[in-house]
Amino acid sequence: MSRTNYIVTYDICDPKRLRKVFKACRDYGLHLQLSVFECDLTAAEKIDFESRLRGLINREKDQVLFIALGPSETRGERVITALGQSYVRVDPPCYVV
């Protein structure tokens, strides 16, 4: 099944909804910056992700953008450059139980 690479970014007006949207995005992608994720999704995963987000946001006040970057198979190595502060990859926390 082919995958497409997306930049997913959002503006959420309510802190409680913001946390829920952040967690949903974290489940589907790589956290790049405050409200920006890179997601590598199949068509079915995108539908699931959008459905989950629709259930979380207020359509009158919030916005989520999916920016398609093209097929993942043909994407070259990811190159991120930064203006201002250096880009630092955000790794998810590691919990030891």
Side-chain angles (χ1 to χ4, degrees), residues 13 18 23 30 35-36 46-47 49 51 57 62 69 75 80-81 87-88 93 97:
C13 295
L18 175 64
K23 288 178 184 176
L30 176 66
S35 301
V36 180
K46 185 172 185 278
I47 290 169
F49 189 18
S51 175
I57 68 171
D62 303 329
L69 300 178
R75 185 189 80 182
I80 298 176
T81 60
Y87 171 73
V88 178
V97 180

Side-chain angles (χ1 to χ4, degrees), residues 1 13 17 21 23-24 39 49 51 59 78 83 85 88:
M1 182 163 281
C13 295
R17 288 195 310 273
V21 168
K23 288 178 184 176
C39 302
F49 189 18
S51 175
R59 292 181 186 197
R78 180 170 16 114
L83 298 176
Q85 296 183 3
V88 178

Side-chain angles (χ1 to χ4, degrees), residues 34-92:
L34 287 178
S35 301
V36 180
F37 283 79
E38 179 183 355
C39 302
D40 191 29
L41 305 170
T42 64
E45 289 170 338
K46 185 172 185 278
I47 290 169
D48 288 343
F49 189 18
E50 288 175 329
S51 175
R52 184 171 170 187
L53 290 170
R54 280 190 191 96
L56 298 174
I57 68 171
N58 178 325
R59 292 181 186 197
E60 303 293 321
K61 298 179 180 178
D62 303 329
Q63 182 182 58
V64 180
L65 300 176
F66 284 75
I67 303 166
L69 300 178
S72 300
E73 302 84 43
T74 58
R75 185 189 80 182
E77 183 176 332
R78 180 170 16 114
V79 177
I80 298 176
T81 60
L83 298 176
Q85 296 183 3
S86 299
Y87 171 73
V88 178
R89 182 182 169 147
V90 180
D91 289 321

